Amino acid sequence: MSALGTGFRSLLKREILRFVRRPRNTFIPPAITNVLYFAVFGVILGDRIAEIQGYDYILFILPGLVVLGAISNAFENASFSIFNGRWNEYIHEVLTSPLPYSSQVLAYVAASALRGLIVGVIIVVVGLLFVPFAIEGGSVPVRKPLYLAAFMLTIVTLFAAFGVVGGLWARDFDYLTVLNQFILRPLTFFGGVFYSLETLPDFWAQVSLLNPMVYMVNGVRYGFLGYTDVNANLSLAVLVGLTVVVVGVDVLLFRRGYGIIE
């Protein structure tokens, strides 16, 4: 048991150090990107939009930007790590180790989820720099801290687990770009990051409910502001269940050698 615990910690440490040692590639880009988001959408457009559902616009979009950055980085970290291991054939050393497949998957997922959480915190810090420009005596409220923690932990774990699937499925680096830039980000943008579902016509509001990102964005927004367009408890329960399923799929794929053993 001790040996297995050491193996898990070693793999987890390696995966964490992989992105911690390269902050210019992992932490600075999302910080700069969100400076632009807050400057354009929060400050410039925020003066014109003023409020949504009684909240200053820059505060309303903050939770959505946190979700966008956190899940993108969690997904990207896991998918790139798995694919790079396949590409350079060093993932075989992990697979042939005595470490159980479940521990291997959890190490990759936990490290990627941690990166997502760190990026989420960075985005909040960036938001704090802009809130005073939009709100007198600016501050970022956290109305439901337990919900915020639960949703953030769940969504970064979910997308880290999806990243493992993406890394196993990808045939080249372009596949990873397609998954992140052309599927993940558009779904997030149409998931209520910059607007409330109540501002949409009834038809489009109902269509939006088919987008899973709506529940993630609203869950984190509920944690920050105490406002949501959907049922927070139901959303959290469904997301937790989905996370368990996807992690289980990861373990099954590892066991079968999908994408690794040709």
Side-chain angles (χ1 to χ4, degrees), residues 9 16 21 23 35-36 72 81 84 94 96 99 102 105 136-138 157 166 177 181 184 195 198 224 230 252 259-260:
R9 290 194 299 271
I16 292 174
R21 287 174 172 172
V35 166
L36 298 176
S72 295
S81 182
N84 195 50
V94 177
T96 56
L99 197 63
S102 58
V105 167
E136 186 175 351
T157 303
T177 301
Q181 300 295 330
L184 183 59
Y195 57 86
E198 293 188 10
F224 274 110
V230 296
L252 180 61
I260 303 170

Side-chain angles (χ1 to χ4, degrees), residues 65-78:
L65 293 177
V66 169
V67 171
L68 175 60
I71 66 176
S72 295
N73 279 268
F75 179 88
E76 178 183 328
N77 191 83

Side-chain angles (χ1 to χ4, degrees), residues 161-233:
F162 273 131
V164 172
V165 176
L168 292 173
W169 169 77
R171 294 296 174 263
D172 56 46
F173 286 99
D174 290 336
Y175 278 63
L176 303 181
T177 301
V178 168
L179 288 170
N180 199 0
Q181 300 295 330
F182 297 101
I183 298 178
L184 183 59
R185 285 182 179 271
L187 283 175
T188 307
F189 274 110
F190 285 103
V193 173
F194 299 105
Y195 57 86
S196 167
L197 296 188
E198 293 188 10
T199 64
L200 299 176
D202 290 340
F203 174 77
W204 291 113
Q206 294 301 314
V207 171
S208 296
L209 294 177
L210 299 176
N211 182 354
M213 300 299 179
V214 167
Y215 304 93
M216 301 177 199
V217 171
N218 275 276
V220 175
R221 183 171 288 140
Y222 184 67
F224 274 110
L225 306 179
Y227 172 84
T228 177
D229 292 317
V230 296
N231 186 295
N233 292 322

Side-chain angles (χ1 to χ4, degrees), residues 28 55 146 248:
I28 294 180
Y55 298 96
L146 293 180

